[in-house]
Amino acid sequence: MSETTVPVTTLASPSTSTSTSVSAASSLKTRGRGARISLGALQIVLGLFYAFASALPKLIAHPSAAEAFDKLGWGSTGMYLIGALELAGGLALLVPLLSSVAAVALGALMVGAFVVNVTVIHGPYVATPLILILPLTLIAWARRNHTTELVRWVRRRA
């Protein structure tokens, strides 16, 4: 159970006054609001990172991206495909209903990127996908209720 769903009555002992209960409730609301704002900011930063810093070099065939995909043997088709997936994931992170699913999909993409970096590329950025998995996992977990809403919406449409 998260902190924001704990009833106020469980936080205040019988010996505390009503003013303590009210201040505890407002403290929980403030912490919950701050967490939601922080999570939203994290989603925006990651969404922009994936759209511009990660996908854009692949989609414009920047020499550094092209060289890495040529080394893999995937060529321009693989580069454009991965770039398109990163762009779609980055944009989906910005859509509340899709944020959890996007975080899971981008996390899976980062697992693949880590494996490729370790086994084939041996580049200096081996840890980057692992570092990105952490905030993506947080987003996927914190926004898991959005996945439920999405499933309900899809079932209504079907």
Side-chain angles (χ1 to χ4, degrees):
M1 185 187 271
S2 73
E3 285 184 23
T4 57
T5 59
V6 176
V8 174
T9 56
T10 61
L11 293 175
S13 67
S15 63
T16 59
S17 68
T18 306
S19 64
T20 306
S21 298
V22 171
S23 67
S26 64
S27 171
L28 279 177
K29 285 182 181 179
T30 304
R31 266 193 284 177
R33 183 171 183 259
R36 283 192 309 273
I37 290 171
S38 297
L39 190 62
L42 179 64
Q43 284 178 237
I44 291 169
V45 168
L46 277 177
L48 293 175
F49 169 80
Y50 275 105
F52 291 106
S54 191
L56 189 63
K58 294 172 184 80
L59 295 174
I60 64 170
H62 190 271
S64 63
E67 178 184 326
F69 280 90
D70 285 341
K71 185 176 182 179
L72 287 171
W74 294 1
S76 61
T77 304
M79 179 178 62
Y80 291 132
L81 178 65
I82 298 294
L85 290 172
E86 288 176 344
L87 179 62
L91 293 176
L93 275 177
L94 304 175
V95 178
L97 196 58
L98 301 175
S99 60
S100 180
V101 174
V104 170
L106 286 170
L109 197 62
M110 291 301 99
V111 168
F114 174 73
V115 170
V116 167
N117 272 310
V118 167
T119 59
V120 179
I121 296 178
H122 308 293
Y125 305 111
V126 172
T128 303
L130 289 180
I131 294 167
L132 289 170
I133 287 174
L134 295 174
L136 289 170
T137 303
L138 174 67
I139 292 168
W141 181 81
R143 303 290 193 207
R144 65 192 180 277
N145 61 336
H146 290 258
T147 304
T148 307
E149 291 174 33
L150 180 62
V151 169
R152 272 192 230 126
W153 183 80
V154 169
R155 285 186 179 164
R156 275 195 311 254
R157 295 288 201 181

